[in-house]
Amino acid sequence: MSKSFSDSYKAAGVDVTAGYKAVELMKSHVARTVTKGCLDGIGGFGGAFELDMTGINKPVLVSGTDGVGTKLKLAFMLDKHDTVGIDCVAMCVNDIICCGAKPLIFLDYIALGKNVPEKVADIVKGVADGCVETGTALVGGETAEMPGFYPIDEYDVAGFSVGVVDKDKIINPENVAEGDVMIALPSSGVHSNGFSLVRKVFHLDKHPENINREVLGSTLGEVLLTPTKLYVKPVLDLISKVNVKSIVHVTGGGFYENIPRALNDHTKAVVNKDKVKVLPIFELIQKEGNIPERDMFNTFNMGVGMITIVSKDEADKALSVLKDNGVDAYIIGEIQKGEKEVEII
C-alpha cells in the first residue's frame, strides 16, 4: 500500500491519493484487455508488449493518435462518462486499419480539473470496452489532475495506438483504378467529429437543457453520445479475403476531405448521393441548422463511417464478407479517371 501523500499539494488542488484510488478502480477494466503479447501490469513507467511476427516477413509499425473532441461536452451535460472512451479508441484504431495494419496496443491520456476516481474509472471502462472489441491491449495510460487549467468538472481524453502490418501487404492507393467500386460501411451516428457545429445547431451551450429534448424516439443526448463504430474486426477479415485497394475513414472533413486521401493522382471518386443511406440524425441537423448539403458532406460522415475500394468483380464477395461480420454494407459510387478529388452527384 502506498505511503505517498501531500497535504500541501492537496491544498493546491491535487490529491495524489485520489489518483491511486482511480488506478485501483480501473484495474479490472484494464485486465479485460490483456492479450498474448502483454508483459507488464498497470502501474509501471511504460507498457511492454512482445511482438508476434508469425506470418509477417517485413513488419511495419503503424501508429495513430486522436482525441474525442468537443463531444465530451455532451458527456459533461449528461454526467455520463462510460462511452467516450470507446470514441477515443475508435478514432485511433479506425485510422490504423486504413493501411491494413492490425492494432496491437493502446494508451490513454486523461487530463482533468479534479480527479474523481469513479469518473476516471468510468472513462477507462469505455476505453477497455473499445480495446476488447478490437482485440487491442490497453498497456498503459496517464491521468493528470490539472486544477486551474481545466474546470473542476471537466476533462479531456486522448489516445495513442500502435499496430503492425507486413510491408508487402500495406494497402496502397496507387492500386486504385478506373472502374473500381466504393463500398460504404454504415456509421452508428455522428461518431466523434463535427460537434462544435452540432452544439451550435441545437443551442446546447446556451441552453444545455436541450440535451434532454425528445428526438428520433430517444433524447438528443442519447442519440448524439452514441459511440463511434469500431471497424477493426470486419475490415481486417475483409482484407484477408478480398483484394482491398484502399480504405477511407470518414471523420473530420467528411467526404470531401477524407476520400481524396485514399486515391492516387490519376483517379477521382464519384459518389451517388441518392445511394447514401443518410441517418435521421443528420437530416435533423441539416434541417434545424439550415445547413447547405455540401457543408453537411464536408463536415459529417452522413451515415457512412468507412469506405472500402475494391475492383468491380470482387464487389459481391466483399459485400458478402462484410455481411458475415454483421455489417450491412452497400455500394455508393465508383472510381473514374481524374485528379484525386471527389464528386458527389
Side-chain angles (χ1 to χ4, degrees):
M1 185 174 184
S2 175
K3 296 181 179 180
S4 173
F5 67 90
S6 171
D7 291 335
S8 298
Y9 208 5
K10 185 175 182 180
V14 178
D15 184 359
V16 295
T17 59
Y20 304 141
K21 182 179 179 181
V23 170
E24 288 301 316
L25 290 176
M26 70 175 74
K27 277 185 175 179
S28 62
H29 298 306
V30 176
R32 293 189 289 122
T33 76
V34 173
T35 60
K36 184 179 179 181
C38 294
L39 297 182
D40 288 341
I42 189 172
F45 291 97
F49 189 90
E50 182 178 7
L51 287 173
D52 180 0
M53 294 295 97
T54 304
I56 300 178
N57 296 318
K58 302 175 182 177
V60 174
L61 297 180
V62 181
S63 57
T65 184
D66 209 337
V68 181
T70 61
K71 184 176 185 176
L72 291 174
K73 284 186 171 290
L74 277 68
F76 305 157
M77 292 177 188
L78 294 170
D79 193 25
K80 179 175 173 55
H81 313 283
D82 60 347
T83 62
V84 291
I86 299 174
D87 291 289
C88 190
V89 174
M91 296 305 289
C92 297
V93 299
N94 284 348
D95 276 354
I96 285 178
I97 60 174
C98 287
C99 69
K102 177 184 179 181
L104 298 175
I105 62 173
F106 189 84
L107 294 93
D108 60 8
Y109 175 78
I110 305 169
L112 29 65
K114 180 178 176 58
N115 190 335
V116 180
E118 292 77 12
K119 182 183 290 186
V120 173
D122 271 352
I123 299 169
V124 175
K125 174 190 178 298
V127 174
D129 287 343
C131 287
V132 169
E133 185 173 336
T134 58
T136 308
L138 179 56
V139 297
E142 176 70 14
T143 303
E145 190 172 17
M146 302 169 65
F149 192 87
Y150 289 96
I152 195 169
D153 57 349
E154 295 189 4
Y155 57 84
D156 195 10
V157 182
F160 174 83
S161 186
V162 178
V164 66
V165 62
D166 194 315
K167 186 176 181 180
D168 294 333
K169 296 180 180 179
I170 293 176
I171 292 176
N172 188 346
E174 289 302 317
N175 294 319
V176 174
E178 180 182 9
D180 290 344
V181 298
M182 306 170 65
I183 297 177
L185 282 67
S187 69
S188 56
V190 185
H191 281 185
S192 194
N193 64 275
F195 276 88
S196 293
L197 179 54
V198 168
R199 292 187 352 263
K200 180 182 178 182
V201 167
F202 294 111
H203 312 289
L204 293 177
D205 290 341
K206 292 184 179 180
H207 298 283
E209 67 275 10
N210 288 350
I211 200 75
N212 295 313
R213 171 185 159 191
E214 293 287 331
V215 300
L216 306 175
S218 186
T219 67
L220 180 62
E222 290 171 337
V223 173
L224 294 176
L225 208 58
T226 301
T228 304
K229 192 170 183 63
L230 294 153
Y231 297 101
V232 172
K233 290 186 176 179
V235 169
L236 289 181
D237 189 41
L238 179 66
I239 292 170
S240 71
K241 298 174 180 176
V242 173
N243 178 27
V244 177
K245 296 188 176 185
S246 200
I247 302 177
V248 183
H249 183 198
V250 187
T251 55
F255 282 51
Y256 285 102
E257 185 172 320
N258 290 291
I259 293 177
R261 297 166 63 183
L263 304 174
N264 54 55
D265 294 337
H266 313 293
T267 55
K268 70 176 180 180
V270 179
V271 177
N272 188 329
K273 65 183 178 184
D274 291 335
K275 292 184 179 179
V276 177
K277 298 179 181 179
V278 178
L279 293 177
I281 183 59
F282 296 112
E283 295 173 342
L284 182 63
I285 291 171
Q286 182 175 7
K287 179 181 178 181
E288 297 220 356
N290 192 28
I291 300 172
E293 183 179 70
R294 192 192 189 286
D295 287 357
M296 290 295 296
F297 277 93
N298 209 151
T299 306
F300 302 107
N301 66 63
M302 301 301 285
V304 179
M306 188 157 280
I307 298 169
T308 61
I309 300 175
V310 303
S311 62
K312 190 173 184 178
D313 59 2
E314 285 204 278
D316 287 343
K317 182 178 180 181
L319 291 170
S320 177
V321 171
L322 290 169
K323 183 177 181 180
D324 289 343
N325 280 272
V327 180
D328 187 20
Y330 58 97
I331 296 173
I332 59 168
E334 66 176 11
I335 303 300
Q336 297 180 5
K337 288 183 179 179
E339 297 182 354
K340 205 172 185 178
E341 61 183 356
V342 58
E343 291 183 5
I344 300 177
I345 61 175

